[in-house]
mmCIF file of all heavy atoms in Angstrom:
data_model
loop_
_atom_site.group_PDB
_atom_site.id
_atom_site.type_symbol
_atom_site.label_atom_id
_atom_site.label_comp_id
_atom_site.label_asym_id
_atom_site.label_seq_id
_atom_site.Cartn_x
_atom_site.Cartn_y
_atom_site.Cartn_z
ATOM 1 N N VAL A 1 -19.140 -1.689 -48.364
ATOM 2 C CA VAL A 1 -17.759 -1.520 -48.836
ATOM 3 C C VAL A 1 -17.122 -0.314 -48.145
ATOM 4 O O VAL A 1 -15.990 -0.379 -47.666
ATOM 5 C CB VAL A 1 -17.733 -1.339 -50.369
ATOM 6 C CG1 VAL A 1 -16.302 -1.082 -50.853
ATOM 7 C CG2 VAL A 1 -18.330 -2.556 -51.064
ATOM 8 N N LEU A 2 -17.845 0.786 -48.082
ATOM 9 C CA LEU A 2 -17.310 2.015 -47.503
ATOM 10 C C LEU A 2 -17.221 1.948 -45.982
ATOM 11 O O LEU A 2 -16.251 2.426 -45.382
ATOM 12 C CB LEU A 2 -18.188 3.205 -47.910
ATOM 13 C CG LEU A 2 -18.148 3.611 -49.388
ATOM 14 C CD1 LEU A 2 -19.293 4.560 -49.702
ATOM 15 C CD2 LEU A 2 -16.814 4.247 -49.737
ATOM 16 N N TYR A 3 -18.250 1.356 -45.325
ATOM 17 C CA TYR A 3 -18.369 1.464 -43.865
ATOM 18 C C TYR A 3 -18.424 0.134 -43.130
ATOM 19 O O TYR A 3 -18.487 0.122 -41.900
ATOM 20 C CB TYR A 3 -19.615 2.294 -43.514
ATOM 21 C CG TYR A 3 -19.595 3.655 -44.148
ATOM 22 C CD1 TYR A 3 -20.558 4.027 -45.092
ATOM 23 C CD2 TYR A 3 -18.595 4.575 -43.843
ATOM 24 C CE1 TYR A 3 -20.530 5.280 -45.692
ATOM 25 C CE2 TYR A 3 -18.565 5.826 -44.442
ATOM 26 C CZ TYR A 3 -19.529 6.168 -45.367
ATOM 27 O OH TYR A 3 -19.494 7.401 -45.958
ATOM 28 N N GLY A 4 -18.404 -0.973 -43.874
ATOM 29 C CA GLY A 4 -18.330 -2.273 -43.232
ATOM 30 C C GLY A 4 -19.674 -2.860 -42.839
ATOM 31 O O GLY A 4 -20.704 -2.188 -42.850
ATOM 32 N N ARG A 5 -19.641 -4.136 -42.467
ATOM 33 C CA ARG A 5 -20.871 -4.860 -42.116
ATOM 34 C C ARG A 5 -21.096 -4.939 -40.608
ATOM 35 O O ARG A 5 -22.073 -5.539 -40.163
ATOM 36 C CB ARG A 5 -20.835 -6.276 -42.705
ATOM 37 C CG ARG A 5 -20.987 -6.300 -44.223
ATOM 38 C CD ARG A 5 -21.124 -7.712 -44.735
ATOM 39 N NE ARG A 5 -22.268 -8.388 -44.113
ATOM 40 C CZ ARG A 5 -22.407 -9.709 -44.062
ATOM 41 N NH1 ARG A 5 -21.467 -10.493 -44.575
ATOM 42 N NH2 ARG A 5 -23.463 -10.254 -43.489
ATOM 43 N N LYS A 6 -20.212 -4.346 -39.832
ATOM 44 C CA LYS A 6 -20.410 -4.300 -38.380
ATOM 45 C C LYS A 6 -20.805 -2.870 -38.012
ATOM 46 O O LYS A 6 -19.967 -1.974 -37.957
ATOM 47 C CB LYS A 6 -19.129 -4.693 -37.649
ATOM 48 C CG LYS A 6 -19.299 -4.728 -36.131
ATOM 49 C CD LYS A 6 -18.015 -5.152 -35.432
ATOM 50 C CE LYS A 6 -18.220 -5.160 -33.910
ATOM 51 N NZ LYS A 6 -16.977 -5.555 -33.193
ATOM 52 N N PRO A 7 -22.098 -2.635 -37.740
ATOM 53 C CA PRO A 7 -22.534 -1.266 -37.451
ATOM 54 C C PRO A 7 -21.860 -0.712 -36.195
ATOM 55 O O PRO A 7 -21.835 -1.360 -35.147
ATOM 56 C CB PRO A 7 -24.053 -1.414 -37.241
ATOM 57 C CG PRO A 7 -24.416 -2.657 -37.978
ATOM 58 C CD PRO A 7 -23.236 -3.565 -37.818
ATOM 59 N N ARG A 8 -21.295 0.483 -36.342
ATOM 60 C CA ARG A 8 -20.661 1.188 -35.219
ATOM 61 C C ARG A 8 -21.528 2.386 -34.862
ATOM 62 O O ARG A 8 -22.032 3.064 -35.752
ATOM 63 C CB ARG A 8 -19.264 1.663 -35.625
ATOM 64 C CG ARG A 8 -18.301 0.525 -35.933
ATOM 65 C CD ARG A 8 -17.152 0.987 -36.833
ATOM 66 N NE ARG A 8 -17.575 1.169 -38.208
ATOM 67 C CZ ARG A 8 -17.269 2.208 -38.964
ATOM 68 N NH1 ARG A 8 -16.543 3.206 -38.467
ATOM 69 N NH2 ARG A 8 -17.679 2.282 -40.209
ATOM 70 N N THR A 9 -21.711 2.632 -33.594
ATOM 71 C CA THR A 9 -22.619 3.706 -33.176
ATOM 72 C C THR A 9 -21.911 4.708 -32.273
ATOM 73 O O THR A 9 -20.898 4.411 -31.640
ATOM 74 C CB THR A 9 -23.835 3.149 -32.417
ATOM 75 O OG1 THR A 9 -23.420 2.663 -31.141
ATOM 76 C CG2 THR A 9 -24.513 2.022 -33.182
ATOM 77 N N LYS A 10 -22.492 5.892 -32.226
ATOM 78 C CA LYS A 10 -22.112 6.875 -31.230
ATOM 79 C C LYS A 10 -22.776 6.498 -29.901
ATOM 80 O O LYS A 10 -23.629 5.593 -29.843
ATOM 81 C CB LYS A 10 -22.549 8.269 -31.661
ATOM 82 C CG LYS A 10 -21.827 8.776 -32.903
ATOM 83 C CD LYS A 10 -22.348 10.134 -33.353
ATOM 84 C CE LYS A 10 -21.594 10.622 -34.592
ATOM 85 N NZ LYS A 10 -22.133 11.895 -35.113
ATOM 86 N N LEU A 11 -22.422 7.189 -28.851
ATOM 87 C CA LEU A 11 -23.065 7.011 -27.557
ATOM 88 C C LEU A 11 -24.314 7.885 -27.503
ATOM 89 O O LEU A 11 -24.350 8.954 -28.121
ATOM 90 C CB LEU A 11 -22.108 7.381 -26.437
ATOM 91 C CG LEU A 11 -20.803 6.568 -26.382
ATOM 92 C CD1 LEU A 11 -19.855 7.170 -25.358
ATOM 93 C CD2 LEU A 11 -21.093 5.111 -26.069
ATOM 94 N N PRO A 12 -25.345 7.471 -26.770
ATOM 95 C CA PRO A 12 -26.561 8.286 -26.710
ATOM 96 C C PRO A 12 -26.308 9.735 -26.308
ATOM 97 O O PRO A 12 -26.816 10.665 -26.952
ATOM 98 C CB PRO A 12 -27.420 7.550 -25.682
ATOM 99 C CG PRO A 12 -27.014 6.120 -25.817
ATOM 100 C CD PRO A 12 -25.536 6.169 -26.084
ATOM 101 N N HIS A 13 -25.490 9.949 -25.257
ATOM 102 C CA HIS A 13 -25.246 11.330 -24.809
ATOM 103 C C HIS A 13 -24.506 12.143 -25.867
ATOM 104 O O HIS A 13 -24.644 13.366 -25.956
ATOM 105 C CB HIS A 13 -24.465 11.346 -23.489
ATOM 106 C CG HIS A 13 -23.015 11.001 -23.623
ATOM 107 N ND1 HIS A 13 -22.056 11.909 -23.995
ATOM 108 C CD2 HIS A 13 -22.355 9.828 -23.426
ATOM 109 C CE1 HIS A 13 -20.866 11.332 -24.029
ATOM 110 N NE2 HIS A 13 -21.008 10.064 -23.680
ATOM 111 N N GLN A 14 -23.734 11.450 -26.698
ATOM 112 C CA GLN A 14 -22.993 12.103 -27.776
ATOM 113 C C GLN A 14 -23.956 12.674 -28.825
ATOM 114 O O GLN A 14 -23.817 13.828 -29.262
ATOM 115 C CB GLN A 14 -22.070 11.050 -28.411
ATOM 116 C CG GLN A 14 -21.046 11.535 -29.390
ATOM 117 C CD GLN A 14 -20.211 10.372 -29.916
ATOM 118 O OE1 GLN A 14 -20.406 9.214 -29.522
ATOM 119 N NE2 GLN A 14 -19.288 10.668 -30.805
ATOM 120 N N LEU A 15 -24.954 11.868 -29.217
ATOM 121 C CA LEU A 15 -25.927 12.360 -30.189
ATOM 122 C C LEU A 15 -26.801 13.452 -29.589
ATOM 123 O O LEU A 15 -27.132 14.437 -30.263
ATOM 124 C CB LEU A 15 -26.798 11.223 -30.705
ATOM 125 C CG LEU A 15 -27.605 11.678 -31.929
ATOM 126 C CD1 LEU A 15 -26.831 11.415 -33.207
ATOM 127 C CD2 LEU A 15 -28.964 11.036 -31.990
ATOM 128 N N LEU A 16 -27.156 13.317 -28.328
ATOM 129 C CA LEU A 16 -27.973 14.350 -27.685
ATOM 130 C C LEU A 16 -27.215 15.676 -27.619
ATOM 131 O O LEU A 16 -27.821 16.747 -27.695
ATOM 132 C CB LEU A 16 -28.389 13.911 -26.284
ATOM 133 C CG LEU A 16 -29.294 12.671 -26.210
ATOM 134 C CD1 LEU A 16 -29.720 12.420 -24.771
ATOM 135 C CD2 LEU A 16 -30.515 12.816 -27.108
ATOM 136 N N LYS A 17 -25.907 15.596 -27.505
ATOM 137 C CA LYS A 17 -25.088 16.814 -27.510
ATOM 138 C C LYS A 17 -25.190 17.517 -28.867
ATOM 139 O O LYS A 17 -25.216 18.756 -28.941
ATOM 140 C CB LYS A 17 -23.639 16.453 -27.194
ATOM 141 C CG LYS A 17 -22.766 17.627 -26.795
ATOM 142 C CD LYS A 17 -21.391 17.119 -26.342
ATOM 143 C CE LYS A 17 -20.471 18.285 -25.985
ATOM 144 N NZ LYS A 17 -19.117 17.793 -25.594
ATOM 145 N N GLU A 18 -25.270 16.741 -29.943
ATOM 146 C CA GLU A 18 -25.447 17.327 -31.269
ATOM 147 C C GLU A 18 -26.818 17.996 -31.383
ATOM 148 O O GLU A 18 -26.956 19.082 -31.964
ATOM 149 C CB GLU A 18 -25.280 16.240 -32.338
ATOM 150 C CG GLU A 18 -23.872 15.639 -32.359
ATOM 151 C CD GLU A 18 -23.697 14.565 -33.426
ATOM 152 O OE1 GLU A 18 -24.550 14.479 -34.339
ATOM 153 O OE2 GLU A 18 -22.705 13.819 -33.351
ATOM 154 N N LEU A 19 -27.835 17.352 -30.814
ATOM 155 C CA LEU A 19 -29.168 17.958 -30.828
ATOM 156 C C LEU A 19 -29.204 19.221 -29.973
ATOM 157 O O LEU A 19 -29.884 20.196 -30.320
ATOM 158 C CB LEU A 19 -30.209 16.948 -30.342
ATOM 159 C CG LEU A 19 -30.365 15.684 -31.196
ATOM 160 C CD1 LEU A 19 -31.447 14.784 -30.613
ATOM 161 C CD2 LEU A 19 -30.673 16.024 -32.650
ATOM 162 N N ASP A 20 -28.471 19.215 -28.864
ATOM 163 C CA ASP A 20 -28.360 20.430 -28.046
ATOM 164 C C ASP A 20 -27.787 21.577 -28.874
ATOM 165 O O ASP A 20 -28.256 22.724 -28.783
ATOM 166 C CB ASP A 20 -27.448 20.178 -26.834
ATOM 167 C CG ASP A 20 -28.137 19.398 -25.729
ATOM 168 O OD1 ASP A 20 -29.370 19.493 -25.609
ATOM 169 O OD2 ASP A 20 -27.426 18.697 -24.980
ATOM 170 N N CYS A 21 -26.769 21.254 -29.667
ATOM 171 C CA CYS A 21 -26.138 22.278 -30.504
ATOM 172 C C CYS A 21 -27.159 22.863 -31.483
ATOM 173 O O CYS A 21 -27.275 24.088 -31.619
ATOM 174 C CB CYS A 21 -24.948 21.676 -31.247
ATOM 175 S SG CYS A 21 -24.124 22.821 -32.377
ATOM 176 N N LEU A 22 -27.895 21.989 -32.162
ATOM 177 C CA LEU A 22 -28.906 22.472 -33.107
ATOM 178 C C LEU A 22 -29.981 23.289 -32.394
ATOM 179 O O LEU A 22 -30.414 24.341 -32.888
ATOM 180 C CB LEU A 22 -29.549 21.280 -33.836
ATOM 181 C CG LEU A 22 -28.700 20.618 -34.922
ATOM 182 C CD1 LEU A 22 -29.359 19.344 -35.420
ATOM 183 C CD2 LEU A 22 -28.470 21.575 -36.084
ATOM 184 N N TYR A 23 -30.401 22.819 -31.240
ATOM 185 C CA TYR A 23 -31.431 23.520 -30.472
ATOM 186 C C TYR A 23 -30.951 24.914 -30.069
ATOM 187 O O TYR A 23 -31.684 25.909 -30.195
ATOM 188 C CB TYR A 23 -31.793 22.706 -29.236
ATOM 189 C CG TYR A 23 -32.928 23.261 -28.423
ATOM 190 C CD1 TYR A 23 -34.246 22.952 -28.726
ATOM 191 C CD2 TYR A 23 -32.687 24.116 -27.348
ATOM 192 C CE1 TYR A 23 -35.300 23.472 -27.985
ATOM 193 C CE2 TYR A 23 -33.727 24.648 -26.604
ATOM 194 C CZ TYR A 23 -35.030 24.317 -26.926
ATOM 195 O OH TYR A 23 -36.066 24.838 -26.185
ATOM 196 N N ASN A 24 -29.706 24.997 -29.619
ATOM 197 C CA ASN A 24 -29.153 26.281 -29.181
ATOM 198 C C ASN A 24 -28.932 27.242 -30.349
ATOM 199 O O ASN A 24 -28.911 28.467 -30.154
ATOM 200 C CB ASN A 24 -27.846 26.068 -28.421
ATOM 201 C CG ASN A 24 -28.066 25.368 -27.093
ATOM 202 O OD1 ASN A 24 -29.151 25.449 -26.504
ATOM 203 N ND2 ASN A 24 -27.056 24.650 -26.617
ATOM 204 N N LEU A 25 -28.773 26.706 -31.551
ATOM 205 C CA LEU A 25 -28.662 27.547 -32.749
ATOM 206 C C LEU A 25 -30.026 28.019 -33.239
ATOM 207 O O LEU A 25 -30.114 28.779 -34.207
ATOM 208 C CB LEU A 25 -27.940 26.790 -33.868
ATOM 209 C CG LEU A 25 -26.427 26.598 -33.693
ATOM 210 C CD1 LEU A 25 -25.888 25.627 -34.737
ATOM 211 C CD2 LEU A 25 -25.690 27.929 -33.764
ATOM 212 N N GLY A 26 -31.099 27.545 -32.591
ATOM 213 C CA GLY A 26 -32.439 27.989 -32.944
ATOM 214 C C GLY A 26 -33.182 27.088 -33.911
ATOM 215 O O GLY A 26 -34.269 27.443 -34.382
ATOM 216 N N TRP A 27 -32.621 25.915 -34.215
ATOM 217 C CA TRP A 27 -33.282 25.027 -35.167
ATOM 218 C C TRP A 27 -34.546 24.439 -34.550
ATOM 219 O O TRP A 27 -34.534 23.959 -33.421
ATOM 220 C CB TRP A 27 -32.339 23.900 -35.586
ATOM 221 C CG TRP A 27 -32.908 23.081 -36.713
ATOM 222 C CD1 TRP A 27 -33.497 21.857 -36.632
ATOM 223 C CD2 TRP A 27 -32.967 23.467 -38.090
ATOM 224 N NE1 TRP A 27 -33.916 21.442 -37.860
ATOM 225 C CE2 TRP A 27 -33.606 22.404 -38.780
ATOM 226 C CE3 TRP A 27 -32.541 24.587 -38.799
ATOM 227 C CZ2 TRP A 27 -33.830 22.451 -40.152
ATOM 228 C CZ3 TRP A 27 -32.760 24.629 -40.163
ATOM 229 C CH2 TRP A 27 -33.394 23.568 -40.828
ATOM 230 N N ARG A 28 -35.661 24.440 -35.302
ATOM 231 C CA ARG A 28 -36.929 23.909 -34.805
ATOM 232 C C ARG A 28 -37.699 23.165 -35.902
ATOM 233 O O ARG A 28 -38.911 23.090 -35.852
ATOM 234 C CB ARG A 28 -37.816 25.046 -34.246
ATOM 235 C CG ARG A 28 -37.255 25.779 -33.048
ATOM 236 C CD ARG A 28 -37.148 24.894 -31.807
ATOM 237 N NE ARG A 28 -36.704 25.649 -30.647
ATOM 238 C CZ ARG A 28 -35.439 25.908 -30.347
ATOM 239 N NH1 ARG A 28 -34.466 25.442 -31.132
ATOM 240 N NH2 ARG A 28 -35.131 26.601 -29.285
ATOM 241 N N ARG A 29 -36.985 22.588 -36.846
ATOM 242 C CA ARG A 29 -37.676 21.858 -37.917
ATOM 243 C C ARG A 29 -37.200 20.398 -37.932
ATOM 244 O O ARG A 29 -36.743 19.869 -36.942
ATOM 245 C CB ARG A 29 -37.435 22.550 -39.264
ATOM 246 C CG ARG A 29 -38.075 23.925 -39.360
ATOM 247 C CD ARG A 29 -38.261 24.360 -40.811
ATOM 248 N NE ARG A 29 -37.014 24.536 -41.529
ATOM 249 C CZ ARG A 29 -36.310 25.664 -41.556
ATOM 250 N NH1 ARG A 29 -36.714 26.725 -40.878
ATOM 251 N NH2 ARG A 29 -35.194 25.750 -42.250
ATOM 252 N N GLY A 30 -37.309 19.787 -39.087
ATOM 253 C CA GLY A 30 -37.003 18.368 -39.205
ATOM 254 C C GLY A 30 -35.526 18.062 -39.068
ATOM 255 O O GLY A 30 -34.656 18.888 -39.363
ATOM 256 N N VAL A 31 -35.246 16.833 -38.626
ATOM 257 C CA VAL A 31 -33.882 16.317 -38.527
ATOM 258 C C VAL A 31 -33.858 14.930 -39.161
ATOM 259 O O VAL A 31 -34.646 14.055 -38.780
ATOM 260 C CB VAL A 31 -33.402 16.232 -37.064
ATOM 261 C CG1 VAL A 31 -32.029 15.563 -36.992
ATOM 262 C CG2 VAL A 31 -33.345 17.621 -36.428
ATOM 263 N N PHE A 32 -32.982 14.757 -40.152
ATOM 264 C CA PHE A 32 -32.850 13.464 -40.816
ATOM 265 C C PHE A 32 -31.706 12.693 -40.189
ATOM 266 O O PHE A 32 -30.572 13.170 -40.153
ATOM 267 C CB PHE A 32 -32.600 13.671 -42.310
ATOM 268 C CG PHE A 32 -32.486 12.392 -43.091
ATOM 269 C CD1 PHE A 32 -33.448 11.411 -42.986
ATOM 270 C CD2 PHE A 32 -31.416 12.179 -43.939
ATOM 271 C CE1 PHE A 32 -33.354 10.228 -43.710
ATOM 272 C CE2 PHE A 32 -31.312 11.015 -44.677
ATOM 273 C CZ PHE A 32 -32.280 10.037 -44.559
ATOM 274 N N MET A 33 -31.989 11.505 -39.673
ATOM 275 C CA MET A 33 -30.972 10.609 -39.141
ATOM 276 C C MET A 33 -30.390 9.878 -40.349
ATOM 277 O O MET A 33 -31.015 8.961 -40.899
ATOM 278 C CB MET A 33 -31.606 9.641 -38.149
ATOM 279 C CG MET A 33 -30.663 9.017 -37.170
ATOM 280 S SD MET A 33 -30.211 10.071 -35.759
ATOM 281 C CE MET A 33 -31.746 10.168 -34.849
ATOM 282 N N VAL A 34 -29.186 10.254 -40.786
ATOM 283 C CA VAL A 34 -28.699 9.847 -42.099
ATOM 284 C C VAL A 34 -28.129 8.435 -42.152
ATOM 285 O O VAL A 34 -27.658 7.998 -43.200
ATOM 286 C CB VAL A 34 -27.616 10.836 -42.619
ATOM 287 C CG1 VAL A 34 -28.146 12.248 -42.691
ATOM 288 C CG2 VAL A 34 -26.354 10.763 -41.747
ATOM 289 N N ASP A 35 -28.182 7.708 -41.060
ATOM 290 C CA ASP A 35 -27.672 6.339 -41.033
ATOM 291 C C ASP A 35 -28.247 5.544 -42.211
ATOM 292 O O ASP A 35 -29.448 5.613 -42.488
ATOM 293 C CB ASP A 35 -28.081 5.629 -39.743
ATOM 294 C CG ASP A 35 -27.708 6.402 -38.491
ATOM 295 O OD1 ASP A 35 -27.725 7.642 -38.539
ATOM 296 O OD2 ASP A 35 -27.411 5.775 -37.472
ATOM 297 N N ASP A 36 -27.413 4.761 -42.866
ATOM 298 C CA ASP A 36 -27.895 3.971 -43.999
ATOM 299 C C ASP A 36 -28.794 2.831 -43.541
ATOM 300 O O ASP A 36 -29.621 2.349 -44.316
ATOM 301 C CB ASP A 36 -26.712 3.450 -44.804
ATOM 302 C CG ASP A 36 -25.945 4.591 -45.442
ATOM 303 O OD1 ASP A 36 -26.485 5.219 -46.376
ATOM 304 O OD2 ASP A 36 -24.832 4.893 -44.988
ATOM 305 N N ASN A 37 -28.619 2.387 -42.315
ATOM 306 C CA ASN A 37 -29.576 1.469 -41.684
ATOM 307 C C ASN A 37 -29.611 1.795 -40.198
ATOM 308 O O ASN A 37 -28.792 1.299 -39.424
ATOM 309 C CB ASN A 37 -29.207 0.006 -41.916
ATOM 310 C CG ASN A 37 -30.282 -0.943 -41.407
ATOM 311 O OD1 ASN A 37 -31.289 -0.514 -40.826
ATOM 312 N ND2 ASN A 37 -30.084 -2.237 -41.613
ATOM 313 N N PHE A 38 -30.540 2.651 -39.824
ATOM 314 C CA PHE A 38 -30.629 3.152 -38.448
ATOM 315 C C PHE A 38 -30.722 2.030 -37.426
ATOM 316 O O PHE A 38 -30.247 2.161 -36.301
ATOM 317 C CB PHE A 38 -31.847 4.072 -38.342
ATOM 318 C CG PHE A 38 -32.076 4.690 -36.992
ATOM 319 C CD1 PHE A 38 -31.108 5.486 -36.400
ATOM 320 C CD2 PHE A 38 -33.266 4.486 -36.308
ATOM 321 C CE1 PHE A 38 -31.314 6.069 -35.155
ATOM 322 C CE2 PHE A 38 -33.493 5.067 -35.072
ATOM 323 C CZ PHE A 38 -32.512 5.854 -34.491
ATOM 324 N N ILE A 39 -31.312 0.892 -37.815
ATOM 325 C CA ILE A 39 -31.535 -0.202 -36.860
ATOM 326 C C ILE A 39 -30.523 -1.330 -37.024
ATOM 327 O O ILE A 39 -30.762 -2.454 -36.594
ATOM 328 C CB ILE A 39 -32.969 -0.739 -36.976
ATOM 329 C CG1 ILE A 39 -33.199 -1.403 -38.342
ATOM 330 C CG2 ILE A 39 -33.975 0.379 -36.752
ATOM 331 C CD1 ILE A 39 -34.492 -2.221 -38.408
ATOM 332 N N GLY A 40 -29.376 -1.027 -37.660
ATOM 333 C CA GLY A 40 -28.361 -2.059 -37.849
ATOM 334 C C GLY A 40 -27.872 -2.653 -36.542
ATOM 335 O O GLY A 40 -27.562 -3.841 -36.457
ATOM 336 N N ASN A 41 -27.800 -1.830 -35.500
ATOM 337 C CA ASN A 41 -27.456 -2.294 -34.151
ATOM 338 C C ASN A 41 -28.664 -1.978 -33.264
ATOM 339 O O ASN A 41 -28.774 -0.892 -32.696
ATOM 340 C CB ASN A 41 -26.197 -1.580 -33.650
ATOM 341 C CG ASN A 41 -25.713 -2.116 -32.315
ATOM 342 O OD1 ASN A 41 -26.498 -2.471 -31.437
ATOM 343 N ND2 ASN A 41 -24.392 -2.169 -32.144
ATOM 344 N N LYS A 42 -29.592 -2.919 -33.189
ATOM 345 C CA LYS A 42 -30.869 -2.651 -32.509
ATOM 346 C C LYS A 42 -30.685 -2.387 -31.021
ATOM 347 O O LYS A 42 -31.400 -1.558 -30.442
ATOM 348 C CB LYS A 42 -31.829 -3.818 -32.742
ATOM 349 C CG LYS A 42 -32.328 -3.918 -34.169
ATOM 350 C CD LYS A 42 -33.368 -5.018 -34.321
ATOM 351 C CE LYS A 42 -33.860 -5.096 -35.746
ATOM 352 N NZ LYS A 42 -34.883 -6.165 -35.920
ATOM 353 N N ARG A 43 -29.765 -3.062 -30.408
ATOM 354 C CA ARG A 43 -29.536 -2.848 -28.977
ATOM 355 C C ARG A 43 -29.165 -1.403 -28.704
ATOM 356 O O ARG A 43 -29.754 -0.732 -27.847
ATOM 357 C CB ARG A 43 -28.441 -3.784 -28.474
ATOM 358 C CG ARG A 43 -28.018 -3.515 -27.031
ATOM 359 C CD ARG A 43 -26.768 -4.295 -26.654
ATOM 360 N NE ARG A 43 -26.247 -3.863 -25.358
ATOM 361 C CZ ARG A 43 -25.450 -2.833 -25.172
ATOM 362 N NH1 ARG A 43 -25.066 -2.078 -26.223
ATOM 363 N NH2 ARG A 43 -25.009 -2.514 -23.966
ATOM 364 N N ASN A 44 -28.170 -0.905 -29.448
ATOM 365 C CA ASN A 44 -27.700 0.452 -29.206
ATOM 366 C C ASN A 44 -28.723 1.511 -29.607
ATOM 367 O O ASN A 44 -28.824 2.563 -28.970
ATOM 368 C CB ASN A 44 -26.378 0.683 -29.946
ATOM 369 C CG ASN A 44 -25.212 0.000 -29.250
ATOM 370 O OD1 ASN A 44 -25.401 -0.750 -28.292
ATOM 371 N ND2 ASN A 44 -24.006 0.236 -29.743
ATOM 372 N N VAL A 45 -29.481 1.230 -30.671
ATOM 373 C CA VAL A 45 -30.458 2.239 -31.102
ATOM 374 C C VAL A 45 -31.595 2.343 -30.083
ATOM 375 O O VAL A 45 -32.144 3.425 -29.856
ATOM 376 C CB VAL A 45 -30.970 1.948 -32.527
ATOM 377 C CG1 VAL A 45 -32.094 0.933 -32.545
ATOM 378 C CG2 VAL A 45 -31.448 3.239 -33.200
#
């Protein structure tokens, strides 16, 4: 209802840029991929 039945994804380089940000801030622990269904778009994932 909130986000629809057609999974929309970011681009791979876009997500890696977010990880770069966390890495540069000194983060070195767990990261939760909060997608409600991470494999909704298997091709893109």
Side-chain angles (χ1 to χ4, degrees):
V1 177
L2 291 166
Y3 303 116
R5 289 187 58 200
K6 183 179 179 181
R8 296 158 285 134
T9 70
K10 294 177 179 176
L11 300 172
H13 74 83
Q14 190 180 359
L15 192 90
L16 296 185
K17 196 173 178 182
E18 296 180 15
L19 298 181
D20 283 332
C21 177
L22 285 172
Y23 185 86
N24 292 334
L25 287 170
W27 188 258
R28 297 294 184 276
R29 293 201 296 272
V31 174
F32 182 51
M33 201 80 69
V34 302
D35 307 33
D36 295 290
N37 187 357
F38 181 59
I39 66 167
N41 186 323
K42 290 185 180 180
R43 173 190 170 276
N44 285 7
V45 83

